[in-house]
Amino acid sequence: MSKKYKGKVCVYCANRLATTADHVIARQFFDIKRRSGLPKVPSCAECNNTKSKLEHYLISVLPFGSNHDSAQEMMGSTVERRLSKNIKLKKHLQLQKTKKWAMSERGLYTHNLHIPINNKAIIRLFEYIAQGLLYTHYNVILGPEYFMNALTITDVGYYKYYDQFVGDSKVGIAKGNLAENGFTYTGRQGKEYPEMSVWFMQLYDGIKLVGENSEISNQVFAVSGHKRILRNAYLAHKYGIYT
């Protein structure tokens, strides 16, 4: 491990010392010629192993949801090879694939091939990624009293959240375009508390994820802050009070 990361605290758990340098966005998501400049952060072995398991699974399924060049390159090489080694997952995808109606960006319903994907795995991986970006741009590690939550959003949700949290502001904005539009993001740090941040992320220029309401989500939104914020939001929603 490089001296740059040796002895540093793990970005993901903020508890153990780093034993390796982890790529915030796994290199395997992209063709080898697109991998330059991917950010790295200090990570402990436990967090690195957990994150790698999520990546190994999602690298095998997420390229199905996009026509981006990087996704198509992975479909013709990495995905095919990984599925040939993971017979259980390959059979699961074959048995569960179906046609499903989904609302397009234009508000029209189209009949598309649908492949089941573990949404919880997507959310958890993007929470890891957002934590890595928070450290990369603002040198902030979230301690146990803080949270990082992510969710998939539609285009309508994107513009709503973006206008609310970023808008036309040019202060504290972090932007990135990695692997030739293979992964793009915009982030903003809170003014008063460095641990507060918001992130808008897209893999493969948008992956078509169909939710229960048949609307297509192609972006991931993540927010970090103090856990007290979550508690207050829950109480305000349930009882109409703030603490």
Side-chain angles (χ1 to χ4, degrees), residues 100-113:
K100 189 171 184 177
W101 290 99
M103 184 183 294
S104 68
E105 292 83 352
R106 297 181 179 181
L108 301 175
Y109 280 91
T110 58
H111 212 204
N112 303 294
L113 176 66

Side-chain angles (χ1 to χ4, degrees), residues 100-197:
K100 189 171 184 177
W101 290 99
M103 184 183 294
S104 68
E105 292 83 352
R106 297 181 179 181
L108 301 175
Y109 280 91
T110 58
H111 212 204
N112 303 294
L113 176 66
H114 177 258
I115 295 175
I117 297 178
N118 184 346
N119 188 61
K120 290 183 179 180
I122 297 174
I123 294 303
R124 188 66 191 102
L125 178 60
F126 274 89
E127 288 173 347
Y128 274 122
I129 292 173
Q131 283 182 265
L133 294 176
L134 181 61
Y135 178 83
T136 298
H137 286 277
Y138 303 116
N139 199 34
V140 171
I141 297 178
L142 298 177
E145 68 274 27
Y146 296 93
F147 69 88
M148 177 68 79
N149 282 0
L151 69 154
T152 56
I153 56 175
T154 63
D155 284 345
V156 173
Y158 165 75
Y159 289 114
K160 174 184 177 181
Y161 285 125
Y162 193 90
D163 288 342
Q164 180 179 353
F165 292 107
V166 179
D168 297 327
S169 175
K170 296 182 180 179
V171 180
I173 301 299
K175 288 191 175 184
N177 185 329
L178 306 173
E180 301 175 25
N181 286 319
F183 182 81
T184 57
Y185 62 89
T186 300
R188 186 178 185 187
Q189 186 182 36
K191 292 183 179 179
E192 297 183 15
Y193 303 99
E195 295 84 3
M196 295 184 66
S197 67

